[in-house]
Amino acid sequence: MKKLIATLALAGFAVFSNAEAQEIKVGLSLPQDLPGFDFVNGMYETFKTEVEANSDMTVDLVYAGALGAPNERLAQMRRGVIQMSDAADGNFATIHSDVQILNMPYLFPDEETAWAVFDGPFGDELAESIREKTGVRVLGWWESGGFKHFSASRAITSPDDMKGLKMRVLGPLATIPVEALGASAAPIAFGELYTSLKTGVVDGQDNSVSVFNLVKLYEVQPHLALTGHTYAFGPLGINDAFFSGLSEDKQKVITDAAEKAIAFNRQKSREIEANAIAFAKEQGVEIIELDDEARSAFKSVMQPPARAWLEENVDSPDLIDAAEAAVKAAANQ
C-alpha cells in the first residue's frame, strides 16, 4: 500500500490517507468580532486555538451564515458536509424532540444548576440519544445567552401585568405559557421585530438581554423584566462519523478543546449578560428584578400548560420527570 501511494504521488495524483491532517469546518451564524456575542464565536475560536495547538488538525471557522441558515448547517453537519455548526436548542429540537424538555419554563432556578444537569448523568444520556438518533456527537453543552426575559411597553412585575399584551414569541413552548398568562402571541419574524415593537404591532417580546441590545430594542421597549423563564442553550456538536474515524489521540484533543471552549462560553456569557443589563439600564430601560415570590407566581401559571404540551409532543415523556429530578438533585448539591 505504501508503494502504491508513493507511486501515485510521484505520478501527480492527489493522495489522501488516514495519516493526513484533517480539517474541521465549522458553520457559524454571527459575523466575526460581533460585539457582545463573544460567548458564541469566542467559544469556537477557543476550540480552534486548542485543536490547532495540540494536533496537526485545522479548524476552518466560516462566519456570518455563509454556509446557510442554522437548520441547513445542522443538516450539513449530520451529512458530514461540514463537521460542526453552532445550531442551538431550537434547531436540535427539529431533529430530536426530547431536547425541548430542557426549554420548559422555570425548569432551572439558575445557570449553575443548569450546568450541573447538562454536565451530569441526565445530560450524558441525552447526548448519547442525540448521537444514536441524529449522527451528531455532543461534546458539551454551551450557554446561548442564558435566560430569556420579557420586555414590554409597560412594566411587568407579576403575571397579571401580562394580561392583554401582544407578545412576540415563537413556537408552542413559548406561545402556550404566554397565552396562559393572558397575553396573545404573535410569531413575528426576527428581522421585523424592531419595527413591529416600534409601531405597536406587538407590545413586547422575550429574548436574552444580549439579543435585546443587539437589535437596539432599548429604543422601543421601556421596560425589561428579568423573568428568567426559559434557559437557552446549545449542544456543541460534531459529526459522529468524522469523530469516530479519528485516532484516539485526536479524539482526545477534540474533547479537551471542547471542554475549554465550554468553560470559556459559560464564563463569557455570564460576564456579557451582566454588562448587557447595565448597558440597557444606561439607555433608560427600566430593569425589573423579580423576587422569589414573583418568580414562583410566573412558574405556577407558565409551567403546567408547557409540561402538558411536552407530555404529548416529545418522544420520551418520561424524561420530563427525569429532568425535574436531575434539577432537584443538582440544586441540593
Side-chain angles (χ1 to χ4, degrees):
M1 177 61 71
K2 291 181 179 179
K3 289 183 179 179
L4 175 60
I5 291 174
T7 301
L8 290 171
L10 288 171
F13 289 94
V15 179
F16 300 92
S17 72
N18 289 335
E20 188 171 5
Q22 285 87 1
E23 179 184 75
I24 302 172
K25 181 166 285 190
V26 185
L28 302 175
S29 294
L30 300 173
Q32 190 173 10
D33 299 324
L34 181 67
F37 279 82
D38 197 36
F39 60 87
V40 182
N41 286 355
M43 171 180 63
Y44 284 96
E45 289 157 2
T46 299
F47 178 83
K48 171 183 171 70
T49 298
E50 291 296 324
V51 167
E52 294 183 349
N54 294 288
S55 74
D56 60 358
M57 293 182 287
T58 58
V59 179
D60 180 19
L61 303 179
V62 184
Y63 296 92
L67 298 180
N71 283 349
E72 294 171 337
R73 297 196 309 273
L74 178 57
Q76 292 171 28
M77 178 168 58
R78 295 182 70 189
R79 298 197 308 270
V81 176
I82 62 177
Q83 286 68 52
M84 300 178 74
S85 168
D86 62 356
D89 47 9
N91 309 115
F92 272 86
T94 66
I95 62 172
H96 194 284
S97 66
D98 292 342
V99 168
Q100 298 173 97
I101 291 169
L102 299 176
N103 293 134
M104 185 166 65
Y106 292 102
L107 174 63
F108 300 113
D110 51 52
E111 294 85 5
E112 289 78 10
T113 300
W115 300 343
V117 171
F118 282 117
D119 297 343
F122 182 91
D124 291 345
E125 291 172 15
L126 183 59
E128 178 60 16
S129 176
I130 291 172
R131 188 191 67 80
E132 291 176 350
K133 294 179 180 179
T134 73
V136 174
R137 177 181 291 266
V138 177
L139 300 170
W141 304 89
W142 53 278
E143 181 171 292
S144 184
F147 284 100
K148 294 183 178 181
H149 310 285
F150 288 128
S151 68
S153 55
R154 69 180 184 220
I156 297 171
T157 60
S158 71
D160 285 343
D161 294 325
M162 292 285 289
K163 291 178 180 178
L165 290 176
K166 295 173 291 183
M167 301 294 291
R168 182 268 186 182
V169 290
L170 297 176
L173 269 183
T175 298
I176 291 170
V178 160
E179 291 178 342
L181 289 166
S184 58
I188 303 294
F190 185 71
E192 301 171 6
L193 179 56
Y194 181 95
T195 301
S196 296
L197 290 166
K198 184 176 182 178
T199 58
V201 173
V202 289
D203 302 306
Q205 59 87 55
D206 76 335
N207 262 306
S208 69
V209 189
S210 298
V211 173
F212 181 87
N213 288 338
L214 173 67
V215 289
K216 300 184 178 180
L217 297 189
Y218 49 79
E219 296 179 349
V220 292
Q221 292 278 268
H223 309 282
L224 176 60
L226 302 182
T227 49
H229 49 278
T230 305
Y231 182 74
F233 63 93
L236 184 62
I238 189 169
N239 178 274
D240 186 53
F242 171 82
F243 181 89
S244 298
L246 298 174
S247 67
E248 289 186 5
D249 287 345
K250 288 185 176 180
Q251 288 181 359
K252 186 175 187 306
V253 167
I254 286 176
T255 56
D256 287 350
E259 183 177 348
K260 291 183 178 180
I262 293 292
F264 173 92
N265 158 262
R266 291 175 179 176
Q267 178 182 354
K268 185 62 66 172
S269 181
R270 295 295 85 234
E271 292 174 2
I272 287 175
E273 185 186 64
N275 292 337
I277 291 171
F279 179 81
K281 190 173 183 178
E282 289 171 2
Q283 306 312 304
V285 178
E286 180 191 13
I287 304 298
I288 303 164
E289 297 191 35
L290 304 185
D291 59 22
D292 290 343
E293 183 178 355
R295 286 173 58 85
S296 178
F298 274 98
K299 178 179 179 179
S300 67
V301 178
M302 297 178 70
Q303 192 178 91
R307 196 182 200 284
W309 184 89
L310 286 167
E311 289 171 350
E312 297 295 326
N313 289 278
V314 299
D315 290 334
S316 309
D318 56 306
L319 287 182
I320 302 172
D321 288 338
E324 291 178 327
V327 169
K328 185 177 180 180
N332 291 334
Q333 285 180 351

